[in-house]
Amino acid sequence: MNNKKPLEHPRRPAVFFDRDGVLNVDTEYAFEIGKFVWINGAIEAVKAVNDAGYFAFIITNQSGVARGLFEEKDVHLLHQWMASQLAEHGAHIDAFEYCPFHPDGAVERYRFASNRRKPKPGMILDLLNRFPVDASKSFVVGDKPSDVEAARAAGLPGYLFQGGNLRNFLVPLLGQSK
């Protein structure tokens, strides 16, 4: 008879990053690798999250897909490129989540109001269900009120990043010294 309990993954806190305006300069519908510009301190911020033992997640509305400006494959290619850039600095994102839907979309299959589109909390809730996250120590970093609204709707604190060095903004939230 085997009395061993199944292995449980220890719960860890998470940082949920909005993408455009937080990790990269928001150029409106960013999807081209050649036009992507990291925010000052963004790579170092993700590394600080990794080093602190937190999950690092991206939650991003990508209505450009619904608007017919680019395709989902373009979002995936950009996220793969971001992951490779982060890896060169010893950093990583644990999961990239995006919402391609918009109720006013030009592409019919993406034209609806999704619970994953911020300010709805769907992307956050999906990640909380998929990963062993300690929600009591987790938070969202965004650049728009809709990011903070999504955080609150998921029961997490949300912080508005309004520019500057992302690492310097983030590290005090992790409880580390600069």
Side-chain angles (χ1 to χ4, degrees):
M1 186 163 122
N2 184 350
N3 290 333
K4 288 185 180 177
K5 287 185 175 181
L7 288 176
E8 290 186 24
H9 294 285
R11 295 186 105 46
R12 298 182 357 213
V15 176
F16 298 81
F17 290 101
D18 175 47
R19 194 188 80 186
D20 304 332
V22 175
L23 293 175
N24 60 281
V25 175
D26 190 351
T27 56
E28 206 169 309
Y29 306 114
F31 71 96
E32 297 169 286
I33 293 167
K35 295 181 179 177
F36 185 94
V37 177
W38 290 99
I39 289 276
N40 188 20
I43 292 172
E44 296 83 359
V46 173
K47 178 103 170 74
V49 167
N50 299 153
D51 291 348
Y54 284 58
F55 287 111
F57 299 131
I58 288 180
I59 51 168
T60 179
N61 286 343
Q62 292 299 312
S63 69
V65 174
R67 296 175 195 280
L69 302 174
F70 50 90
E71 297 179 13
E72 283 192 78
K73 70 178 174 71
D74 298 311
V75 177
H76 291 284
L77 287 171
L78 181 61
H79 289 168
Q80 289 168 4
W81 178 83
M82 289 174 68
S84 70
Q85 293 288 298
L86 289 163
E88 288 179 15
H89 297 275
H92 70 275
I93 296 293
D94 292 287
F96 291 83
E97 293 292 318
Y98 68 96
C99 179
F101 307 107
H102 193 282
D104 300 326
V107 180
E108 184 163 348
R109 69 181 202 177
Y110 296 109
R111 186 185 318 131
F112 69 91
S114 170
N115 74 336
R116 290 175 52 85
R117 181 171 173 74
K118 295 178 286 178
K120 302 281 188 200
M123 286 186 281
I124 298 168
L125 296 175
D126 288 349
L127 289 163
L128 290 173
N129 286 326
R130 278 193 1 238
F131 289 84
V133 174
D134 179 349
S136 71
K137 297 177 183 164
S138 300
F139 57 91
V140 174
V141 176
D143 67 323
K144 293 183 177 70
S146 60
D147 299 316
V148 174
E149 288 175 46
R152 287 191 186 130
L156 302 178
Y159 299 96
L160 273 179
F161 174 68
Q162 297 176 320
N165 184 296
L166 183 60
R167 183 192 178 281
N168 293 346
F169 174 84
L170 183 79
V171 166
L173 300 174
L174 296 173
Q176 300 178 0
S177 58
K178 287 186 185 179

